[in-house]
Amino acid sequence: MAQYRHALDRRRVAERRAADGLLALVDSPVADATALESALAACGLPVRGHYRVIVAALGARGSQQNEGTGARAALTEALSHAAAGPFAVGLRPGGAAVAVLHTGRDEDSGRPAVDQAWSLLHDCLPETPLHAGISDSTPGTGGLNSALGQARYALAAAATTAAAADRVTAVDDLTSLDALLAGIPTDVRTAFSANTLGPLSDSSSSSHRVLLETLEAFLDHNCSWARTAEALHLHVNTVHYRIQRVETLTGRGLSNLDDKLDLHAALKCR
């Protein structure tokens, strides 16, 4: 039994080393195609067909190394039950586990059904947030780096949407402005909101809070003066005055579609 366990441990170490080598190449936008195919073969993955990349991370509970080991174990367990094809799971700096999954030769390769397995894993460790992001299907090895970027963005969206719970988000799920903005780093969201709203971003001013409330209602009611006035129990002239103040303070015109979208996104990024 000891000899068997020793051989098993050596094989797992070799598999992890091969997976880490593959991910180092996938993480490079200028990786050599021949080296990439060799790394895929070393991991037991076909060098032809379609792939998806999955990135997983655990909530902060200890060192990055421990978080990464836990994330890799969780992702490996989930894919061993849900994956329809061979995969390799490794670690990248920062404590995130990354899987390269071969999904076959079909151009319409389906999304891996990891959601159910992910929920079961979370039930085993309910106090540990589990998040994962899944890329779109990419043909050949040339799109793996782009797929990794997609998966990382989807992971960030999952962590933002459900910071204290389990969440699996695929790029297929990013079909709304809310979902798209969720993947942007918090400090970038905050900076964009402050720069776009200008003086209105000062939450200590009661008059600015009133103007933001009016702006939000105005956009929510498709820029209808009458419906905004009704919703806020105001006279229409008051709504006109407040929106004019918003336009003056932000330098944006609410008759312009681009400015409307900018302000709408800025409110969602607060």
Side-chain angles (χ1 to χ4, degrees):
M1 290 292 293
Q3 291 176 346
Y4 172 79
R5 181 55 187 266
H6 181 63
L8 179 62
D9 288 344
R10 285 195 305 172
R11 186 169 71 248
R12 286 177 174 171
V13 169
E15 289 173 350
R16 290 169 182 169
R17 187 179 296 117
D20 290 345
L22 169 62
L23 296 181
L25 291 171
V26 171
D27 208 1
S28 171
V30 292
D32 179 71
T34 302
L36 194 53
E37 290 183 359
S38 297
L40 285 167
C43 293
L45 297 176
V47 297
R48 297 291 183 269
H50 285 68
Y51 306 87
R52 284 184 188 257
V53 175
I54 305 175
V55 182
L58 273 63
R61 292 175 60 86
S63 68
Q64 284 188 349
Q65 181 179 359
N66 290 337
E67 291 171 24
T69 301
R72 179 172 57 192
L75 185 53
T76 302
E77 182 71 15
L79 287 176
S80 66
H81 293 283
F87 61 89
V89 181
L91 287 179
R92 296 304 296 143
V98 182
V100 176
L101 169 65
H102 185 266
T103 56
R105 297 182 178 275
D106 185 2
E107 292 184 3
D108 190 26
S109 302
R111 166 180 169 175
V114 300
D115 303 69
Q116 184 176 0
W118 209 248
S119 297
L120 294 173
L121 287 170
H122 180 68
D123 290 341
C124 297
L125 293 171
E127 297 181 357
T128 303
L130 297 170
H131 303 118
I134 305 175
S135 77
D136 198 2
S137 177
T138 179
T141 60
L144 284 174
N145 181 257
S146 176
L148 176 59
Q150 292 178 7
R152 283 173 170 160
Y153 195 92
L155 170 65
T160 301
T161 305
D166 69 296
R167 181 84 175 192
V168 177
T169 298
V171 290
D172 314 59
D173 301 325
L174 304 180
T175 57
S176 68
L177 181 61
D178 282 334
L180 185 66
L181 293 175
I184 298 175
T186 302
D187 54 346
V188 176
R189 288 163 54 95
T190 302
F192 171 77
S193 180
N195 292 331
T196 304
L197 294 175
L200 292 182
S201 61
D202 180 13
S203 59
S204 63
S205 170
S206 59
S207 62
H208 290 172
R209 288 198 298 271
V210 168
L211 291 177
L212 283 178
E213 177 186 338
T214 305
L215 172 61
E216 194 164 13
F218 187 64
L219 292 173
D220 287 344
H221 290 86
N222 296 319
C223 300
S224 168
W225 303 100
R227 282 185 288 165
T228 302
E230 182 180 357
L232 296 178
H233 306 291
L234 297 172
H235 192 278
V236 173
N237 289 344
T238 304
V239 177
H240 274 278
Y241 169 75
R242 290 184 180 179
I243 294 302
Q244 287 173 357
R245 288 287 298 148
V246 168
E247 292 178 328
T248 299
L249 291 171
T250 62
R252 311 271 176 161
L254 284 163
S255 59
N256 180 283
L257 178 59
D258 288 339
D259 287 348
K260 285 180 188 176
L261 291 174
D262 289 344
L263 290 171
H264 184 54
L267 289 173
K268 290 183 174 295
C269 286
R270 286 184 301 163

